[in-house]
């Protein structure tokens, strides 16, 4: 199908959810991840840990060359349902597997997004590095402190230009007596650019 | 000039700055404002308080129908320099004036972005409301607590569907001994959609 | 009973809770409120909106001259149970009433803490101001944006020296695979000192 | 000198500062650290990395058994000046040395506060553990992400009950046109209790 040109994120509520699958990544975080990743129509993109498909759907609006992987079959199923709901299924190759097992089969990559990695983060980054082109990007979204430190250290070791931001968002609940802010959990976005 | 299709934000450092002009709005905030505003190529957009031109430049990548106003001549000058630097000057009508004095001359609007309003916020929103189409949007970026409350209250009064988020971002400084997070000031983004 | 000298806050879990009563104010917020209020043994303190008694119990460790009010009978009941649980009931005069109706009966105050005020915030502050001694303090804890603006504006009008801080706390959940940070909602603490 | 009983923190401005010494830890953070540490009059306390003396002064208000160490002579000098300014110098034994070299000389400890550790964090915690009594506490204040992960992991390894909180505070600047919030950098407070 055709690439949709729109800056609007799908709202959190629109996604089909499954109790045993994390996600979707919140609207504003997806928005920043998209800006940092800067996907163009020809980009070959790999996503490891698609979960509910929150980021998968947004990336699939930008490129038809997306491979999304998750080791949890329920995640693959949920992501598939969401891709179909938003008419984006033709743009994505969905694979149920462990991220690490799949990377060697890939030829070359412009961008990689790591949304989950279990204990394999360092090795996954190292493998991706072998496939990624100059000026390509590895983006990690992290909810664990440990993931933040490990990604930064591994990207520095591989001589990537690295950036880390932490995003704390609260959203107003407009009550009769006033506006109460409800916090979302902090999330870090680590961006490595291959030099 | 042609509309640039890219999700990437201009980095904060790339903007020409002037000591007597606030801005540019930080990269990640510009990114979220763009997602919330969801500008399409045909949209007629009004920006009140262009400052350094941080948001002006990003909007000018999306539409050629942008009017940007600031009451500070230095702001108009700085925004002009930035628009020229990024090859976007042809897409924008820049006006040095008080926001309130200009709105009545405008025919119709799809989106309005308020980045500064002095003491005229409520009146500016009321005037914009008269020009904005159904499903059109008013977006306010607020660094003052007072602005948050006033925008929400005025948009509720005008029966807009309203949302407020507050964004706290910290950015890692990668030191030899580790990563230190440096906080940016919190900023609120208020979005009103005309019903 | 005797005044307990300890900096330790009661933990959030230790409080008896009631579904129809807000609170307790989280441990770290209580800690900062106590520091800002700086209660000494002789201080006469008024608390409006005791809720679950989170702050009531902490203040009652510092002074025997505490009057705590709530308009919700369930709040009075819950606060009473907590005061008894922590052996502090003798230090507090608990009153089920609307804050505004009670202030005129009070002679003089060193400190007042407003944890809830409905629509009467401005008037409550004005009434308290009449009773409070020089260098006395009015502290407001606010979860609504509106409360922040109203307290600041009213305290400024009454020529108090005012401070506002906003506190965002996240707490680590130590999982097997790492540490995940869980956010608490932001809360503002407004401190006015009578000049 | 006598122990001062007051919950009030010294304000950030009151401390004497030195350009080559970090600190003082901000008022609200000192307040939370004090609550978490819960120092009683008899407690033997060790502080590693006293810097400007921000925490040193607060602890010295609670106990006369405080040893504070810093490897930077300027830090020792600055802390000394602050202790004298606030009349607390008699309560503290100040030592210019590397934290690690000093711990073996200490008999037993109730509480230890680590405000700086260079590359020795894990070893410092391990050494302190040998001296600390049951139910004693090790508190780490961390501005580096790496310090957070290392402290948690080391305290878990030593079977301490551990807690980590991250504190983001912004402080209002009351301007004529409204209240602008200014962010402080995030700081984590890690608390380990010996079982
Ligand atoms: N080594 C690995 N290989 C493949 N998937 C993995 C993995 N480790 C974790 N995951 C997957 O990573 C996912 C993280 S949740 C991702 C949420 C997603 N960004 C969204 O917006 O919906 C989980 O579904 C988990 O199963
Ligand atoms: N009533 C009014 N009419 C026009 N401009 C106004 C105004 N009140 C404030 N402003 C302008 O609003 C601006 C706010 S700063 C805006 C920064 C901008 N978003 C950026 O990214 O660069 C200031 O330049 C100020 O001069
Ligand atoms: N005008 C008013 N007079 C008295 N109580 C009021 C009031 N407006 C609101 N309240 C009370 O304010 C409370 C706010 S919740 C307070 C929670 C408390 N600080 C704790 O730590 O447990 C509610 O119980 C509500 O009933
Ligand atoms: N291994 C080590 N031994 C002793 N001091 C150390 C150290 N590593 C770092 N430091 C010291 O730790 C300090 C951290 S700054 C601490 C600031 C302090 N909490 C305040 O409120 O003022 C620095 O002065 C640094 O010199």
């Amino acid at each position: 199908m055709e690439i949709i040109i729109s800056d609007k994120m799908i709202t959190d509520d629109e996604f089909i959810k499954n109790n045993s699958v994390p996600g979707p990544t919140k609207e504003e975080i997806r928005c920043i991840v998209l800006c940092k990743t800067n996907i163009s129509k020809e980009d070959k993109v790999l996503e490891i840990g698609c979960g509910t498909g929150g980021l998968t759907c947004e990336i699939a609006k930008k490129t038809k060359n997306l491979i999304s992987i998750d080791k949890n079959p329920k995640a693959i199923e949920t992501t598939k349902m969401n891709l179909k709901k938003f008419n984006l299924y033709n743009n994505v190759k969905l694979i149920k597997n462990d991220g690490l097992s799949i990377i060697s089969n890939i030829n070359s990559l412009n961008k990689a997004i790591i949304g989950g990695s279990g204990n394999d983060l360092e090795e996954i980054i190292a493998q991706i590095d072998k496939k990624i082109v100059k000026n390509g990007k590895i983006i990690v979204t992290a909810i664990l402190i440990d993931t933040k430190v490990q990604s930064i250290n591994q990207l520095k070791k591989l001589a990537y230009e690295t950036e880390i931001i932490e995003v704390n968002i609260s959203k107003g609940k407009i009550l009769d007596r006033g506006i109460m802010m409800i916090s979302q959990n902090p999330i870090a976005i680590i961006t490595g650019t291959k030099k």
Side-chain angles (χ1 to χ4, degrees), chain A residues 150-161:
Chain A
Q150 284 165 25
S151 348
I152 286 283
N153 288 349
Q154 181 67 325
L155 289 168
K156 277 205 298 190
K157 206 169 124 189
L158 297 167
Y160 278 58
E161 200 190 300

Side-chain angles (χ1 to χ4, degrees), chain A residues 106-134:
Chain A
I106 293 173
N107 276 332
S108 98
L109 283 172
N110 299 88
K111 314 278 164 67
I113 296 179
I114 305 176
S117 54
N119 289 318
D120 297 330
L121 181 61
E122 271 129 355
E123 188 55 21
I124 285 176
I125 293 179
Q127 292 302 323
I128 288 174
D129 172 52
K130 292 185 189 154
K131 307 294 180 159
I132 217 154
V133 301
K134 207 178 161 239

